[in-house]
Amino acid sequence: MGNETTRREELLIVAARLFSRKGYHATSMQDIADELNILRGSLYHYIESKEGLLYELMELGIQTLMERVRPIVESDLPPDEKLARLIRQHTITIASYPDFMAVFLHELKSLSPPRRERILAYRQEYDHLVRRILAEGVERGVFRPVDVRVVSFALLGMVNWVYQWYSPDGPLSAEEIGTVFANLVLQGLLDRDDT
Amino acid sequence: MGNETTRREELLIVAARLFSRKGYHATSMQDIADELNILRGSLYHYIESKEGLLYELMELGIQTLMERVRPIVESDLPPDEKLARLIRQHTITIASYPDFMAVFLHELKSLSPPRRERILAYRQEYDHLVRRILAEGVERGVFRPVDVRVVSFALLGMVNWVYQWYSPDGPLSAEEIGTVFANLVLQGLLDRDDT
DNA sequence: CCACCAATCAAACGATTGTTTGGTGCGGTG
DNA sequence: CACCGCACCAAACAATCGTTTGATTGGTGG
């Protein structure tokens, strides 16, 4: 019990770190093997190919994100509360798994078309979750009428960008940052009734 | 007159396109040379090294952005108007030079430390411009009191992300997108006086 | 017509790349 | 004790990488 990381998980973690720091193509199998103190050929005992490894990391990233956000979208909360929670949760998830998330957000173009399509499908599914909340809010008159597509991109840009600058040593926790974001967006979206 | 692109500029444009589509490390000198119909060795008549080429592209990107935004920051407009114009201009610039901007935003880690430092200095200078507007707005009571650092990152994430999804064939022009962004952020920041 | 210069070619360089193959040691199980 | 399979090694592979060198072209100004 306790330290339950298999050798394979170790490999994934090391690879995610290297891919996120140096980039996929700038990281060699040699680099990964060095960190694990084995020869680079030995990596193929655990993985099918370098690109297969990349795909697995990206899938892990997007799946983690989706697992944590979907319950919020499917809850019975009002749209504004849903949106606030989504923004906070997305921010926290990125800050919790920065390496996996950076790889997921950064290396789409490094995948061959078939695998890229699969990740893109995940991504579109996620986009859809966000847009559903926005559309719901606009429909119910909770949010001002806005271009849902553009606002969803604005929102995703804001939260995804976090991987570029967040540091656990910074002055604010991930949750606090998420709250600032949520306040900003909600204040920007809420329909103030000056009746 | 008219078609005044030198061979060297052609090289830069081709390289920016390839770097932005495939990534720096996934693009070989061969790829670039092929597009220009010359041998890869011949490229060194124009450039010092592959990394030098990358640096030049990134410098072009950030300089273009700064040239267009600085006049706004240094103008005499009120903070809210400054911010709106900055957001619009940033959005338009990214949409106008998507290849250069994508390279600038994506390939920092591909530069060796000395050159990376130089680009980082530019980037920090730009961040400073944005924060100055925000701080000014908060000071004058035009904006609500907010965490300037976090809000500046939120804002930059929103506009920088544009390179990931913008298409000139989309339903909205870059200026219209910039206006949606500006409205969202301003509405989120303005101090409503319920006196 | 000669001299020059920019643009390009032709060919080679050592290094590194991802991947494959066949083998080896070892801990546990029947 | 025999065996199995996991984890890894050792060695090689063809290919590609960025870069350098020296020669060669074609056009332009003197």
Side-chain angles (χ1 to χ4, degrees):
Chain A
M1 234 158 270
N3 222 355
E4 197 72 41
T5 45
T6 63
R7 192 79 168 129
R8 182 163 207 282
E9 288 165 346
E10 224 180 314
L11 196 171
L12 296 183
I13 291 170
V14 162
R17 188 174 67 235
L18 289 174
F19 286 173
S20 81
R21 308 241 162 127
K22 314 178 43 172
Y24 171 73
H25 278 106
T27 303
S28 64
M29 300 303 277
Q30 189 73 257
D31 294 334
I32 301 172
D34 285 351
E35 297 257 326
L36 296 168
N37 284 109
I38 56 175
L39 299 188
R40 72 185 193 275
S42 308
L43 293 171
Y44 291 83
H45 192 265
Y46 301 96
I47 61 167
E48 171 226 351
S49 67
K50 191 189 180 189
E51 200 211 313
L53 169 58
L54 174 62
Y55 175 79
E56 200 168 337
L57 298 180
M58 297 186 62
E59 197 176 35
L60 262 165
I62 178 64
Q63 279 180 349
T64 301
L65 191 59
M66 208 117 64
E67 267 171 28
R68 294 170 161 229
V69 162
R70 180 175 281 124
I72 297 171
V73 180
E74 292 173 347
S75 69
D76 288 334
L77 297 162
D80 52 343
E81 180 63 23
K82 274 192 196 177
L83 191 62
R85 292 198 189 193
L86 179 144
I87 290 173
R88 267 200 304 273
Q89 188 54 245
H90 188 121
T91 305
I92 289 169
T93 305
I94 287 191
S96 304
Y97 306 99
D99 293 341
F100 287 85
M101 292 302 160
V103 171
F104 160 60
L105 292 170
H106 226 90
E107 299 290 355
L108 235 198
K109 60 163 75 73
S110 305
L111 286 177
S112 62
R115 287 199 244 242
R116 189 187 314 154
E117 287 308 317
R118 260 177 284 164
I119 298 294
L120 270 175
Y122 280 119
R123 197 183 260 217
Q124 278 161 21
E125 195 182 337
Y126 189 80
D127 285 8
H128 197 67
L129 292 183
V130 176
R131 292 187 197 184
R132 211 193 304 172
I133 299 185
L134 289 174
E136 195 183 324
V138 171
E139 262 175 45
R140 297 205 199 165
V142 181
F143 299 151
R144 313 162 17 217
V146 288
D147 187 314
V148 167
R149 196 181 71 100
V150 173
V151 170
S152 74
F153 282 136
L155 202 152
L156 286 171
M158 183 183 75
V159 289
N160 284 336
W161 199 248
V162 167
Y163 86 94
Q164 292 255 13
W165 57 271
Y166 173 77
S167 157
D169 306 324
L172 264 57
S173 70
E175 178 159 13
E176 289 169 322
I177 292 167
T179 300
V180 173
F181 284 175
N183 287 341
L184 185 68
V185 171
L186 282 181
Q187 181 116 212
L189 282 180
L190 287 180
D191 204 5
R192 351 208 202 113
D193 45 358
D194 309 272
T195 1
Chain B
M1 234 158 274
N3 222 357
E4 196 73 40
T5 46
T6 64
R7 193 78 167 129
R8 182 163 206 282
E9 288 165 346
E10 223 180 313
L11 196 171
L12 295 183
I13 291 170
V14 163
R17 188 173 67 236
L18 289 174
F19 286 173
S20 82
R21 309 240 162 125
K22 315 176 45 173
Y24 171 73
H25 278 106
T27 304
S28 64
M29 299 304 277
Q30 189 74 258
D31 293 334
I32 300 172
D34 285 350
E35 297 256 324
L36 297 167
N37 284 109
I38 56 177
L39 299 189
R40 73 184 192 275
S42 308
L43 293 172
Y44 290 82
H45 191 260
Y46 300 96
I47 60 167
E48 169 225 353
S49 67
K50 191 189 181 190
E51 201 211 312
L53 168 59
L54 174 63
Y55 175 78
E56 202 168 335
L57 298 179
M58 297 186 64
E59 198 176 35
L60 262 165
I62 178 64
Q63 279 179 351
T64 302
L65 190 60
M66 209 116 66
E67 267 170 30
R68 293 169 162 232
V69 162
R70 180 174 281 123
I72 297 171
V73 181
E74 292 174 347
S75 70
D76 287 333
L77 298 163
D80 53 342
E81 179 63 23
K82 273 192 196 178
L83 190 63
R85 292 198 188 191
L86 179 145
I87 291 173
R88 267 201 303 273
Q89 188 54 244
H90 189 123
T91 306
I92 290 169
T93 305
I94 287 191
S96 305
Y97 307 99
D99 293 341
F100 286 85
M101 292 301 160
V103 172
F104 160 58
L105 291 170
H106 226 89
E107 299 290 355
L108 234 199
K109 61 162 74 75
S110 304
L111 286 177
S112 62
R115 286 199 247 245
R116 190 187 314 154
E117 286 308 315
R118 261 177 283 165
I119 298 293
L120 271 175
Y122 279 119
R123 198 182 259 216
Q124 278 162 20
E125 195 181 338
Y126 189 81
D127 285 8
H128 197 67
L129 293 182
V130 176
R131 292 187 198 184
R132 211 193 305 172
I133 298 185
L134 289 175
E136 195 184 324
V138 171
E139 262 176 46
R140 296 204 200 167
V142 181
F143 299 152
R144 313 161 19 217
V146 288
D147 186 316
V148 167
R149 195 182 72 100
V150 173
V151 171
S152 75
F153 282 136
L155 203 152
L156 286 171
M158 183 183 75
V159 289
N160 285 336
W161 199 248
V162 167
Y163 86 94
Q164 292 255 14
W165 58 271
Y166 173 77
S167 158
D169 307 324
L172 263 57
S173 69
E175 178 160 10
E176 288 170 322
I177 292 168
T179 301
V180 173
F181 283 174
N183 287 342
L184 185 68
V185 172
L186 282 181
Q187 182 115 210
L189 282 180
L190 286 181
D191 203 5
R192 352 207 201 111
D193 44 356
D194 309 272
T195 2

